[in-house]
Amino acid sequence: MNEPQRMTAIVCHAPQDYRVEKVARPVAGRREMVIRISACGICASDCKCWSGAKMFWGVNGGAPWVKAPVIPGHEFFGTVESLGEGAAEHFGVAAGDRVIAEQIVPCEKCRYCRSGKYWMCEVHNIFGFQREVADGGMAEYMRIPPTAIVHRIPAGLPLEDAAIIEPLACAIHAVQRGGIQLDDVVVIAGAGPIGLMMVQVAHLKTPRKLVVIDMVPERLALAKRYGADVTINPKEADALAIVRGLTGGYGCDVYIEATGSPSGAVQGLDLIRKLGRFVEFSVFGHDTTADWSIIGDRKELDIRGAHLGPYCYPIAIDLLARGLVTSKGIVTHDYTLEHWDEAIAVANSLDSIKVLMKPSR
């Protein structure tokens, strides 16, 4: 019997126990395909998972989200390497096509999937966290299962732009959840990779004022470049006074929380006006405590969550292809799989914005 072909992959075994290993190369079954990975981004959620955030590992009796051992990575794209029986017709692709699969693999059976709300699938398998359906993209090759949602990528799109399609889709969904109007004052808190993509997308909505809050001067400068009207470093300026000054004392109309820090949520409750729209996007590593009565008794806020990038991948690809959104300035580092330890250290610091993993060629 022939031995299976091997490939290099990063394998998550436990918090801070991620290893570069040789593993079996995946094989495409019926209505499945295998893609050759071109690049896979390290997400803030990957950093929190690596660090041992309890929402992923289920400490204190909670159910674990991560089911190790698993190959991480959900910000991937690649080229079609092989197609199983019926896969070409099923996915509408051919060998050699550049493709991306959405990060969630819907079950297609629960009430959410059956009503078109697939991104809230009750089973909720996400590439790179659970192996039941398929591993993630921090490897040379990756299997795409039958229920995955696949999109083709134009051949001419630069690698760095193609590598941000997944987080850009998330940014688009979050901005759409804000329901931004032409006369709105919008605050985006957090100028990390997705926050900076939110800035670019929100700018396309042409609000009256677009305000970005972050504590890293270089990221605030990028936000300005991407269309922010006002940038605030809360270590150096009074964000509440500035936002009230822009709004006749009322507060912002839309607040999008993308800091990943509990303080970002508390700050938003102060900055937003009565009857405003608060969009919560971040994945937190710690519990958040706030005066919950602000939401109802004092301001009657519209609190909207934003999860993943449903129905936004085609939009993301189109915006990148037309040059309306860019990865320039956001993608700052890339590493081969063999240099994982250095890559996660840089990704988990303020020395980078977006770090890509690339298989050796």
Side-chain angles (χ1 to χ4, degrees), residues 70-321:
V70 64
I71 298 171
H74 57 273
E75 295 186 1
F76 58 85
F77 83 98
T79 58
V80 178
E81 180 77 8
S82 61
L83 293 153
E85 179 188 351
E89 297 79 12
H90 175 62
F91 289 118
V93 300
D97 283 351
R98 299 172 96 201
V99 297
I100 186 170
E102 297 195 20
Q103 67 274 67
I104 191 165
V105 184
C107 74
E108 297 187 342
K109 296 177 181 178
C110 72
R111 66 182 292 180
Y112 303 108
C113 288
R114 290 171 67 87
S115 63
K117 308 296 191 298
Y118 67 90
W119 69 100
M120 297 306 299
C121 173
E122 188 68 12
V123 178
H124 221 76
N125 281 318
I126 300 280
F127 285 117
F129 292 102
Q130 310 94 15
R131 182 169 275 181
E132 287 91 340
V133 175
D135 281 306
M138 293 189 190
E140 292 182 277
Y141 297 90
M142 181 179 176
R143 179 176 63 88
I144 306 298
T147 61
I149 302 170
V150 173
H151 305 276
R152 285 191 293 177
I153 301 172
L157 198 68
L159 181 144
E160 289 77 11
D161 281 357
I164 70 163
I165 291 170
E166 186 276 338
L168 176 56
C170 293
I172 293 167
H173 180 54
V175 170
Q176 289 178 332
R177 291 286 284 160
I180 295 171
Q181 304 299 309
L182 295 174
D183 61 345
D184 282 341
V185 173
V186 178
V187 172
I188 296 174
I194 293 184
L196 289 168
M197 295 178 211
M198 290 176 183
V199 173
Q200 296 185 65
V201 175
H203 177 64
L204 295 175
K205 295 280 189 178
T206 63
R208 178 157 55 95
K209 290 289 182 186
L210 179 56
V211 181
V212 178
I213 301 176
D214 199 274
M215 293 191 290
V216 181
E218 295 81 4
R219 296 185 179 193
L220 291 176
L222 270 177
K224 271 279 193 182
R225 195 170 105 194
Y226 294 148
D229 299 298
V230 177
T231 59
I232 303 171
N233 185 334
K235 292 190 298 185
E236 300 174 353
D238 186 338
L240 181 60
I242 293 171
V243 171
R244 284 183 174 172
L246 294 170
T247 59
Y250 287 100
C252 63
D253 303 282
V254 179
Y255 183 88
I256 302 178
E257 199 291 308
T259 67
S261 170
S263 61
V266 176
Q267 171 185 257
L269 295 177
D270 288 335
L271 296 186
I272 198 166
R273 66 167 171 82
K274 295 176 181 178
L275 303 173
R277 301 181 296 285
F278 188 121
V279 180
E280 181 51 66
F281 173 80
S282 288
V283 174
F284 295 105
H286 304 283
D287 292 342
T288 301
T289 301
D291 180 358
W292 205 240
S293 61
I294 295 173
I295 295 168
D297 185 59
R298 287 168 55 189
K299 290 190 176 180
E300 196 172 322
L301 298 176
D302 191 349
I303 305 293
R304 304 178 181 184
H307 180 57
L308 307 185
Y311 302 106
C312 293
Y313 281 66
I315 301 171
I317 293 167
D318 177 65
L319 291 178
L320 289 164

